[in-house]
Amino acid sequence: MFTTVLIANRGEIALRVLRTCREMGIRTVVAHSTADRDTPAVRLADEAVQIGPAAPRRSYLNPAAIVAAALQTGADAVHPGYGFLSESAEFAEICRAHGLTLIGPPPEVIARLGDKTSAREFAKTAGLAVLPGGGTCGGAAEAARTAAAIGYPVVVKAAAGGGGRAMTVVHEPGDFARAHAATRRDALALFGDPRVYVERYLDAARHVEVQVLADGHGNVVHLGARDCTVQRRRQKLIEETPPPTLTAAAVERLGALTVRAALTAGYVGAGTFEYVLDEHGACHFIEVNCRLQVEHPITEMVTGVDLVREQLLIAAGRPLSLRQQDIVSRGVAIECRVNAEDPSRGFLPTAGTIEHFVPPGGPFTRVDTHASAGARVTADYDPLIAKVAVWAPDRAQALARADRALEEMVVQGPGVRTGLPFLREVLAHPLFRYAKHTTGLVDQMMSTPVP
Amino acid sequence: MFTTVLIANRGEIALRVLRTCREMGIRTVVAHSTADRDTPAVRLADEAVQIGPAAPRRSYLNPAAIVAAALQTGADAVHPGYGFLSESAEFAEICRAHGLTLIGPPPEVIARLGDKTSAREFAKTAGLAVLPGGGTCGGAAEAARTAAAIGYPVVVKAAAGGGGRAMTVVHEPGDFARAHAATRRDALALFGDPRVYVERYLDAARHVEVQVLADGHGNVVHLGARDCTVQRRRQKLIEETPPPTLTAAAVERLGALTVRAALTAGYVGAGTFEYVLDEHGACHFIEVNCRLQVEHPITEMVTGVDLVREQLLIAAGRPLSLRQQDIVSRGVAIECRVNAEDPSRGFLPTAGTIEHFVPPGGPFTRVDTHASAGARVTADYDPLIAKVAVWAPDRAQALARADRALEEMVVQGPGVRTGLPFLREVLAHPLFRYAKHTTGLVDQMMSTPVP
Amino acid sequence: MTAEPAPSQEGERVLDWVTRHAARLAGTGPAPLRRITVSTATLAVHVEWAPPPAGGAAPPACPAVEGTPAAAARQDAIMVTSPMVGTFYRAREPGAAPFVEIGDLVEPGQQIGIVEAMKLMNAVQAEHGGRVAEVIAADGAPVQYEEPLLALVPDDRA
Amino acid sequence: MTAEPAPSQEGERVLDWVTRHAARLAGTGPAPLRRITVSTATLAVHVEWAPPPAGGAAPPACPAVEGTPAAAARQDAIMVTSPMVGTFYRAREPGAAPFVEIGDLVEPGQQIGIVEAMKLMNAVQAEHGGRVAEVIAADGAPVQYEEPLLALVPDDRA
């Protein structure tokens, strides 16, 4: 096992990784920017290294600074968390070149599955259904023909993209050429790579994903599926497991398919295969996330498996101690992301200082947060303040518990607004309660004026 | 189901009960003293009634004030929490006379099992082993003969006692008469009842208890056993489940015996049967707690059963929905009680204002607390600030997790001292780690001077 | 949150229902109605009132609510508060004259009412003397511990 | 926490072990040794040092530590800090003369050292001029972002 793990991230996920390292007796080094000097992960770390200024390009996205910090503190492994460099094949290569174990899949796997076009091609060979569509190596005219063959609406997406950026929905053939050119420009600007591809666009879809663990010895298991349909700005807001519209048998089938695909890909580590469900319940592969996900706690709550612990054991070369039959899912878990943002102004992030902070507690309630009274919420980073996850034997009780937990939570301070009231509106919405919502739920809620 | 439940308690347990009521859609009224006006339970309650001054005799121990508050707010049930009036047969009678459902066993059951002498007699008829001993209706001479027959050391205990008070250990026959007389005086002063009984005293015992749920229709189940051996001043400090020294089969046997005894007693509600384990592993009944216990969260964590929810359903007359085979215990859970007290001064309670408060969080960590930044810790009540409970697949991981959680917890303020560092010393103690400790552990730790 | 779009005929019925009940509902809450949500097919109704102006469920720790004329008068007043939680009665028995009325002079120790808890009638006595400026708790009202019952203003003759 | 009482012979061995190792252990921690716990039978060793005097793992946000003479001198000093995390070198190559020494006059923009990260040698330049009052980071020391390397005092001639 590793002696020292450098945590190359911030916020709640830095703390999450630190907690498991501490429990496993592994020394932790937290690499942090000047803006994060006074955060709990830095306070609790065995050692902390200031790697750069607030701007992520010069700190959390700077491979040289992170590798230098790892080498000077004697770290033998680097945990990238999620976001930042967690899915950079290049960073994975650099770590390898410097004798550091990056906790995640090997660079080749990230390169193959991280690119959306090649992931799509891979998925087809691995026997996963994909939405009609294809890459557009040729010009705009060929792309338009692809779009016509798929049938409108279609979406044009950056091959190197992610996080809902450089992505344009086209409803009419007449709009295609302009959208195609604009998305290429965005893709080049955002990801340094103009390649795009075209895919059928599902208006009323549900978003489902399968969590896998794969060791370096050819063993792969899945830990069930999560439903992440409630999104705003194409980012997840509420996640639950198991997906309320899939039967246990359907989850098992999707899990088995995913395990086979992960094996084919030579996947190692914790990873997530994302799918959309169309209105007929058919599953289509979208992408692979080669890292831990924000919503991993709900899988932990129903399975009892500490995913960060498994990541560390796998990265250290251990064979998985869990077989598929050991993974028994119990009950329902729901996570609500509490962001510092203003839903009434298009979910605009807000900045300020938190004066009063009371996290929820009590039965079957888990809170992952780096916030406390006195913490500053800055515009430098993601607006996530806290993840509130609850467990219950069934979905109705889990929804009631989530609402109770959000109700008792206090986050107050000048300038600070949170999505707490909006999250409770989602929990109370009939479409959500009856699990008849799609990824369009939040837009529906925002566009219907309050009487 | 009840429309409105009045919560006749304070601190973390008032909040605990409120949470489940809220999740079940039951209106809550919190009855509180002037000292507890600004507590979270009062803030979150649908309605709050100030029932008296800080002194418990005139508020939380005042049946007239509680019943008046229940009647004027339209409550149909009263939840007594633990401590205060939770085991008062007289209060249960008063509630019944006023048409209020007291959430707990019927008054007759409390009267029979609450008295330690009659509980002992009952246990014998129910087939539970008790320690050699007996009541002392006769004089001191008869009691001394009983003691001699038992063999020294013996303990003289108040029949109406509890909480480790009016209880004297006698090592030599020559000390008996004086100890007997003194304990009778204490018992009269503390409980208004001079009756005492004599029992063999176990120097090196482990403390184990079985959680049961019984409905009003003759169904009783047990939810496994908890080990509560780590005590200071005869009050529990750390509890864990399952007991590390009992095999699953032994827990099952003890559970089945307890279920049979609860059936015999006509028990209704949630209750706990307490036992001591002698050095040979033999179990001896000590007492029944006719209420929810402080340490109930660890049972909830391993079984997934919300005990307060079950209490409410039972009190509303519903038959248990759980059969014994539905109760599947998973993993290990440990609770640490964080008290405002100073271990280096005999665990003397400390008072003050909490300025910084950061509860632990993250994976498999549950916190039950009414504290937050700005909260006052007063000498009026129990020094319990927070209960930190963790879960893990096995005991070693659970111990590491408990230590991690306590390490990250911050409770600071002028005058405030907590047992946090001491709890971590217990977790690290070899006797505790190897589960070879007895109820004498804390005394051993305190009496061995630090080199 | 908003109502689900309902098929037109059902929509008519729902709108009718909302219109008929809105006025009645408005009177039942502690503050003006803010929102009514109706969901069809399985019937979910959600009614929300504006947050009450003051602290809501909080006990009457401080009797003064700033900004009202009575509040201003109470600033200098001596409060007679309830010695226990129960029901406040202004008179010895139904129909009898109240112990005190506005304008009466009250002497220290004088009984000003009764608080009943569990059939026990407990006399409430004024600790200090003064002239009754306001009767705060109504006859038969449920009162909490230390809830103000009467406001007295100091009077030289008391 | 304290050692379990061991049988006398084992006790001798343990005491011997502690005595031999205490001195060595004392030098390894950031502060004086505070406690050694030894548990026999299954061997559990627990060594604890006193808390380090300053913030421990906290980054060197503020270079001044009040109360020391150097700190007093630094109060008015201009700090040249590291532009990145890496290894600080005072000279262009091993054995060469340092870029600057105490007492040297430094001009704005003058190179005062090198920070190496991932084999890249990055020149460190003084933003402001001044006389070198203290060399804070040692040659070959790991430095963090914004960690002070040199202290300059303003000098009219600079």
Side-chain angles (χ1 to χ4, degrees):
Chain A
M1 186 35 67
F2 308 112
T3 306
T4 303
V5 168
L6 179 127
I7 299 169
N9 213 307
R10 62 175 303 283
E12 68 85 17
I13 195 64
L15 201 50
R16 168 70 192 86
V17 173
L18 184 143
R19 284 170 167 148
T20 288
C21 288
R22 187 63 47 92
E23 289 168 18
M24 294 175 76
I26 299 170
R27 213 174 136 257
T28 51
V29 177
V30 168
H32 65 90
S33 74
T34 51
D36 287 330
R37 196 183 278 152
D38 298 323
T39 53
V42 171
R43 172 173 68 83
L44 289 165
D46 292 292
E47 196 171 345
V49 181
Q50 187 159 288
I51 56 166
R57 283 271 152 224
R58 292 191 53 205
S59 48
Y60 300 111
L61 284 169
N62 181 353
I66 292 165
V67 169
L71 296 177
Q72 76 174 220
T73 54
D76 35 15
V78 174
H79 197 302
Y82 53 68
F84 295 135
L85 293 173
S86 63
E87 290 183 287
S88 161
E90 192 192 349
F91 180 60
E93 291 278 15
I94 294 170
C95 284
R96 184 188 275 175
H98 285 82
L100 295 166
T101 303
L102 183 71
I103 293 161
E108 309 75 48
V109 173
I110 300 181
R112 185 179 191 187
L113 299 181
D115 180 278
K116 293 199 173 189
T117 322
S118 73
R120 221 184 110 87
E121 291 315 307
F122 160 75
K124 283 199 273 186
T125 65
L128 300 176
V130 295
L131 286 169
T136 62
C137 313
E142 188 198 315
R145 277 195 298 277
T146 307
I150 294 165
Y152 283 83
V154 298
V155 59
V156 186
K157 291 186 194 176
R165 299 188 301 167
M167 187 184 247
T168 317
V169 177
V170 190
H171 290 273
E172 303 282 340
D175 298 337
F176 186 83
R178 205 154 42 96
H180 182 257
T183 312
R184 281 178 63 89
R185 273 197 308 276
D186 286 355
L188 183 62
L190 285 167
F191 308 108
D193 179 348
R195 288 176 308 126
V196 297
Y197 66 107
V198 183
E199 212 173 60
R200 167 164 304 156
Y201 179 68
L202 295 181
D203 243 332
R206 294 180 69 87
H207 189 119
V208 164
E209 62 190 23
V210 176
Q211 174 72 54
V212 297
L213 285 173
D215 65 17
H217 308 273
N219 303 303
V220 185
V221 294
H222 73 83
L223 291 95
R226 297 182 288 253
D227 184 306
C228 312
T229 301
V230 181
Q231 305 185 357
R232 60 109 179 80
R233 302 163 146 218
R234 298 186 200 280
Q235 287 175 334
K236 297 161 190 170
L237 211 50
I238 297 181
E239 301 97 346
E240 60 181 300
T241 184
T245 49
L246 291 184
T247 62
V251 169
E252 207 36 68
R253 268 199 308 278
L254 191 61
L257 270 175
T258 306
V259 164
R260 212 176 57 197
L263 267 170
T264 309
Y267 199 89
V268 178
T272 302
F273 282 62
E274 303 207 336
Y275 301 89
V276 284
L277 283 176
D278 63 25
E279 59 265 56
H280 311 296
C283 261
H284 310 272
F285 169 85
I286 340 175
E287 63 184 60
V288 184
N289 288 146
C290 297
R291 52 167 169 88
L292 194 66
Q293 283 191 281
V294 179
E295 59 270 26
H296 75 277
I298 56 173
T299 297
E300 297 186 326
M301 289 178 104
V302 297
T303 61
V305 174
D306 178 339
L307 288 169
V308 174
R309 182 185 172 87
E310 297 302 321
Q311 283 190 304
L312 290 165
L313 291 169
I314 290 167
R318 304 278 178 85
L320 274 180
S321 61
L322 295 160
R323 292 156 306 166
Q324 191 64 54
Q325 65 264 36
D326 299 328
I327 298 164
V328 181
S329 207
R330 177 147 101 171
V332 172
I334 298 182
E335 176 184 275
C336 298
R337 300 194 193 182
V338 181
N339 294 310
E341 63 188 14
D342 188 346
S344 68
R345 293 194 294 159
F347 296 94
L348 193 76
T350 62
T353 297
I354 297 173
E355 284 183 351
H356 299 287
F357 186 80
V358 182
F364 308 105
T365 302
R366 166 177 175 176
V367 182
D368 283 81
T369 185
H370 55 295
S372 63
R376 280 181 309 124
V377 178
T378 71
D380 298 316
Y381 307 112
D382 191 278
L384 185 66
I385 292 178
K387 304 189 307 198
V388 174
V390 299
W391 179 93
D394 60 45
R395 189 170 188 262
Q397 286 184 56
L399 294 184
R401 188 158 279 156
D403 187 65
R404 183 275 295 169
L406 296 182
E407 183 185 7
E408 72 185 52
M409 186 168 189
V410 178
V411 186
Q412 285 168 353
V416 177
R417 293 215 44 179
T418 73
L420 277 170
F422 184 78
L423 288 165
R424 295 186 65 201
E425 292 204 2
V426 176
L427 291 176
H429 198 283
L431 282 176
F432 182 74
R433 295 198 85 81
Y434 287 99
K436 301 225 175 288
H437 59 297
T438 67
T439 46
L441 177 67
V442 171
D443 285 343
Q444 283 169 255
M445 288 172 68
M446 299 312 292
S447 61
T448 321
V450 171
Chain B
M1 186 37 65
F2 308 113
T3 305
T4 303
V5 168
L6 180 126
I7 300 169
N9 214 306
R10 62 174 302 283
E12 67 85 19
I13 196 63
L15 201 49
R16 169 68 191 89
V17 173
L18 184 142
R19 283 169 169 149
T20 287
C21 288
R22 185 64 46 91
E23 289 167 17
M24 293 175 77
I26 299 169
R27 212 172 137 259
T28 51
V29 177
V30 168
H32 65 92
S33 75
T34 51
D36 287 330
R37 196 181 278 154
D38 298 322
T39 53
V42 171
R43 172 173 68 84
L44 289 166
D46 293 291
E47 196 171 345
V49 181
Q50 187 160 287
I51 56 166
R57 283 272 152 225
R58 292 192 51 205
S59 48
Y60 300 111
L61 284 169
N62 180 354
I66 291 165
V67 168
L71 295 178
Q72 75 174 222
T73 54
D76 35 14
V78 174
H79 198 301
Y82 52 68
F84 294 133
L85 293 172
S86 63
E87 291 184 287
S88 161
E90 191 192 351
F91 181 60
E93 292 277 16
I94 294 170
C95 284
R96 183 189 274 177
H98 285 82
L100 296 166
T101 303
L102 182 72
I103 295 162
E108 308 75 47
V109 174
I110 300 181
R112 184 178 191 188
L113 299 181
D115 181 279
K116 293 198 173 192
T117 322
S118 72
R120 220 183 110 87
E121 292 314 307
F122 159 75
K124 282 199 273 188
T125 66
L128 300 176
V130 295
L131 287 169
T136 62
C137 313
E142 187 199 317
R145 277 194 299 277
T146 308
I150 294 165
Y152 284 84
V154 299
V155 58
V156 186
K157 291 186 194 177
R165 299 188 302 168
M167 187 184 247
T168 317
V169 177
V170 190
H171 291 272
E172 304 282 339
D175 298 336
F176 186 82
R178 202 154 43 96
H180 182 258
T183 312
R184 280 179 62 89
R185 274 197 307 276
D186 286 354
L188 182 62
L190 285 166
F191 308 109
D193 179 348
R195 288 174 307 126
V196 296
Y197 66 107
V198 184
E199 211 173 61
R200 165 162 308 153
Y201 179 68
L202 294 182
D203 243 330
R206 295 181 68 88
H207 189 120
V208 165
E209 62 191 21
V210 175
Q211 174 72 55
V212 297
L213 284 174
D215 65 18
H217 308 273
N219 304 303
V220 184
V221 294
H222 73 84
L223 291 94
R226 296 182 289 254
D227 184 305
C228 312
T229 302
V230 181
Q231 306 184 357
R232 60 112 179 79
R233 301 163 145 217
R234 298 186 202 279
Q235 286 174 334
K236 298 161 190 170
L237 212 50
I238 296 180
E239 302 97 345
E240 59 181 301
T241 183
T245 48
L246 291 184
T247 62
V251 169
E252 207 37 67
R253 268 198 309 278
L254 191 61
L257 270 175
T258 306
V259 163
R260 212 176 57 198
L263 267 170
T264 310
Y267 200 89
V268 178
T272 302
F273 282 63
E274 302 207 338
Y275 301 90
V276 283
L277 282 178
D278 64 25
E279 60 266 58
H280 311 296
C283 261
H284 311 272
F285 169 86
I286 340 175
E287 64 183 60
V288 184
N289 287 146
C290 298
R291 53 166 168 89
L292 194 67
Q293 282 191 284
V294 179
E295 59 271 27
H296 75 277
I298 56 174
T299 297
E300 297 186 323
M301 289 178 104
V302 296
T303 60
V305 175
D306 177 339
L307 288 169
V308 174
R309 182 185 172 89
E310 297 302 322
Q311 283 191 302
L312 290 165
L313 290 169
I314 290 167
R318 303 279 177 85
L320 274 181
S321 63
L322 294 162
R323 293 157 306 167
Q324 192 64 54
Q325 66 263 37
D326 299 328
I327 297 164
V328 181
S329 207
R330 177 146 102 171
V332 173
I334 298 181
E335 177 184 274
C336 299
R337 301 193 192 181
V338 181
N339 294 311
E341 64 189 14
D342 188 346
S344 68
R345 292 193 296 160
F347 298 93
L348 193 76
T350 62
T353 297
I354 297 173
E355 283 183 351
H356 299 285
F357 187 80
V358 183
F364 307 106
T365 302
R366 166 176 175 175
V367 182
D368 283 80
T369 184
H370 55 295
S372 63
R376 280 180 310 123
V377 179
T378 70
D380 298 316
Y381 307 112
D382 191 278
L384 184 66
I385 292 178
K387 304 188 307 199
V388 175
V390 299
W391 178 94
D394 59 44
R395 188 171 188 261
Q397 286 184 57
L399 294 184
R401 188 159 278 157
D403 187 65
R404 183 274 297 168
L406 296 182
E407 183 185 8
E408 71 185 55
M409 185 168 188
V410 178
V411 186
Q412 286 168 350
V416 177
R417 292 216 44 179
T418 73
L420 277 170
F422 184 77
L423 288 166
R424 295 186 65 199
E425 292 203 3
V426 176
L427 291 177
H429 198 283
L431 282 177
F432 181 74
R433 296 199 85 82
Y434 288 98
K436 301 226 175 286
H437 59 297
T438 67
T439 46
L441 177 66
V442 171
D443 286 343
Q444 283 170 257
M445 287 173 67
M446 298 312 290
S447 62
T448 321
V450 171
Chain C
M1 213 166 59
T2 56
E4 269 279 285
S8 61
Q9 207 191 342
E10 194 171 355
E12 290 285 343
R13 276 197 290 117
V14 170
L15 273 172
D16 179 51
W17 182 92
V18 171
T19 315
R20 278 189 291 114
H21 289 76
R24 279 177 59 199
L25 282 165
T28 59
L33 262 186
R34 192 155 77 172
R35 196 176 287 187
I36 299 179
T37 308
V38 180
S39 164
T40 54
T42 45
L43 189 62
V45 182
H46 176 89
V47 185
E48 200 176 321
W49 286 266
C62 168
V65 179
E66 281 182 60
T68 68
R74 286 186 205 169
Q75 296 288 18
D76 305 315
I78 302 157
M79 290 295 156
V80 183
T81 62
S82 175
M84 67 198 65
V85 59
T87 307
F88 177 57
Y89 294 110
R90 291 188 56 199
R92 193 168 304 277
E93 56 191 44
F99 289 104
V100 291
E101 290 282 15
I102 290 178
D104 284 2
L105 258 186
V106 169
E107 284 177 31
Q110 182 179 333
Q111 180 169 5
I112 62 94
I114 288 167
V115 172
E116 180 252 310
M118 285 176 70
K119 316 291 174 218
L120 276 172
M121 308 304 259
N122 303 280
V124 182
Q125 294 166 323
E127 204 182 326
H128 304 283
R131 192 172 291 279
V132 178
E134 190 185 354
V135 178
I136 299 165
D139 190 56
V143 293
Q144 306 188 9
Y145 174 71
E146 283 189 353
E147 183 165 339
L149 305 173
L150 282 191
L152 306 178
V153 284
D155 190 291
D156 294 341
R157 286 162 293 174
Chain D
M1 214 168 57
T2 57
E4 270 278 286
S8 63
Q9 205 191 345
E10 194 173 354
E12 289 286 343
R13 275 196 290 116
V14 169
L15 274 172
D16 180 51
W17 182 91
V18 170
T19 316
R20 278 190 290 114
H21 288 77
R24 278 178 58 200
L25 282 166
T28 59
L33 263 184
R34 190 155 79 172
R35 195 178 289 185
I36 299 179
T37 308
V38 179
S39 163
T40 53
T42 45
L43 188 60
V45 181
H46 175 90
V47 185
E48 200 178 319
W49 285 265
C62 169
V65 179
E66 283 182 61
T68 68
R74 286 186 205 169
Q75 296 287 19
D76 305 314
I78 302 158
M79 290 295 159
V80 183
T81 63
S82 176
M84 69 198 65
V85 60
T87 307
F88 177 57
Y89 294 111
R90 290 187 57 198
R92 194 167 304 276
E93 56 191 46
F99 289 103
V100 289
E101 290 281 16
I102 290 177
D104 285 1
L105 258 186
V106 169
E107 284 176 31
Q110 182 179 333
Q111 180 169 4
I112 62 94
I114 288 168
V115 172
E116 180 252 310
M118 285 176 69
K119 315 292 175 217
L120 276 172
M121 309 304 259
N122 303 280
V124 182
Q125 294 167 323
E127 205 182 325
H128 304 282
R131 193 171 291 279
V132 178
E134 190 186 356
V135 178
I136 299 165
D139 190 55
V143 292
Q144 305 187 10
Y145 174 70
E146 282 189 352
E147 183 165 339
L149 305 172
L150 281 192
L152 305 178
V153 284
D155 191 290
D156 294 340
R157 284 162 293 173

